[in-house]
Amino acid sequence: MAVSDTSPRVAVVTGASSGIGLYTALGLARDGMRVIMTGRNHERTETARSFVAARAEGAQLETALADFGSLAAIRGLADKILGRHDRLDVLVNNAGLISPHYRLSEDGFELTFAVNHLAPFLLTNLLLDRLKTSAPARVITVASRAHRGSRIELATITGSRGWSMGQSYGRSKLCNILFTRELARRLEGTGVTATCLHPGGVATGFGQRGGLVELGWRLAKPFMISAEKGAETTLFLATIADATPFNGGYVVGKVLECPDPAALDDSLARRLWDESARLVRP
């Protein structure tokens, strides 16, 4: 399928109803892209669309709903995007969560792992052919410095044994970096780049989960950066003229940073990819 050079560039931003995703959508709309803003809640996502429309003159915006705890919902989202657009220039995997309790997704996977890793893994793979035909294109995944010190045991990655909120989140962010590394390897020569990033400690509603989690978040919030500031690295990677120098990399503050050694394990990255594909069957 040929992509017209005159048609507007298209970007998908997951988790765009608030926080970093909202300001990422705003920045891409201001850059002239047609932005598909995904969220889980209709009212919040429409409010976010209105927020962007009021601040980006002539913004071309769409909304699409999906619960990232459901693989069926991810498939439905991909079908909707592919049915509406013959090109896709930027995919921003931004949606994520921290679950304060051990919970399972609709498909029976540990929820943080399901939402933070399996969902973007599946969505990216379902949209990959469209990204390739639109090349040069980019896949940008929001990771975190919380990956440092985390380790992955693939045999028990969705289980409850030894589970803790922090360990689960850190593992999911390590998965984001390993996924990016393996994706970049698989995309060599296609014109599609894959990068991931740490946005900084951002004062969003991410930590509003009740109990000690929310208390800690409230105490730390005065020292955090704004969501608008947190979106800057994502927007940098999405709009820079040539993203090739960052391909496969982990970016902090718009520069490449060496992640935890576990995130550089190419064998683990391949095995995580294979196990993820087995779980989601893209």
Side-chain angles (χ1 to χ4, degrees):
M1 180 187 298
V3 175
S4 170
D5 290 336
T6 60
S7 60
R9 294 168 295 159
V10 177
V12 172
V13 182
T14 69
S17 61
S18 64
I20 296 172
L22 174 61
Y23 282 96
T24 299
L26 175 59
L28 296 178
R30 285 174 170 168
D31 196 59
M33 296 189 195
R34 183 171 190 88
V35 183
I36 304 169
M37 303 172 63
T38 84
R40 188 176 61 173
N41 177 276
H42 172 75
E43 184 177 352
R44 287 199 298 268
T45 307
E46 285 300 322
T47 298
R49 186 197 61 76
S50 297
F51 177 92
V52 173
R55 290 161 178 79
E57 185 177 354
Q60 302 177 75
L61 304 170
E62 297 177 23
T63 59
L65 300 181
D67 180 348
F68 273 38
S70 163
L71 296 180
I74 297 298
R75 294 181 190 281
L77 174 63
D79 287 344
K80 184 176 293 186
I81 293 167
L82 294 173
R84 289 179 180 175
H85 299 281
D86 63 1
R87 71 180 295 166
L88 178 57
D89 301 84
V90 177
L91 170 61
V92 179
N93 291 313
N94 168 79
L97 63 73
I98 301 176
S99 177
H101 308 292
Y102 179 79
R103 299 162 60 196
L104 296 178
S105 71
E106 179 183 288
D107 306 281
F109 305 121
E110 191 275 319
L111 187 61
T112 301
F113 174 73
V115 171
N116 293 1
H117 171 64
L118 289 181
F121 175 87
L122 177 58
L123 182 62
T124 301
N125 274 281
L126 292 173
L127 299 178
L128 210 49
D129 285 344
R130 190 60 44 88
L131 285 158
K132 289 177 182 177
T133 60
S134 308
R138 302 166 192 196
V139 178
I140 302 163
T141 301
V142 178
S144 171
R145 276 187 174 150
H147 81 280
R148 294 193 178 278
S150 297
R151 296 296 179 264
I152 294 174
E153 293 292 340
L154 292 178
T156 59
I157 198 165
T158 67
S160 60
R161 184 174 142 189
W163 185 93
S164 76
M165 178 186 68
Q167 288 177 347
S168 175
Y169 182 71
R171 277 196 300 267
S172 72
K173 297 291 104 178
L174 175 56
C175 287
N176 291 158
I177 302 174
L178 289 166
F179 162 66
T180 296
R181 191 172 180 86
E182 177 64 9
L183 178 62
R185 186 186 72 81
R186 290 169 178 255
L187 289 173
E188 285 181 8
T190 66
V192 183
T193 58
T195 54
C196 62
L197 66 117
H198 169 65
V202 180
T204 69
F206 201 62
Q208 294 176 309
R209 307 294 178 191
L212 293 175
V213 177
E214 182 166 355
L215 175 61
W217 177 83
R218 289 184 181 278
L219 291 173
K221 188 173 181 180
F223 305 98
M224 295 178 173
I225 63 175
S226 68
E228 185 172 13
K229 185 76 174 175
E232 287 184 357
T233 301
T234 304
L235 290 171
F236 167 75
L237 292 171
T239 59
I240 189 173
D242 181 12
T244 304
F246 300 94
N247 191 31
Y250 169 68
V251 180
V252 181
K254 303 181 185 178
V255 297
L256 286 168
E257 182 174 293
C258 188
D260 188 278
L264 301 175
D265 186 336
D266 288 333
S267 173
L268 179 58
R270 287 192 292 272
R271 287 185 287 119
L272 174 63
W273 185 286
D274 291 343
E275 177 64 7
S276 301
R278 185 187 72 81
L279 293 174
V280 306
R281 296 179 177 85

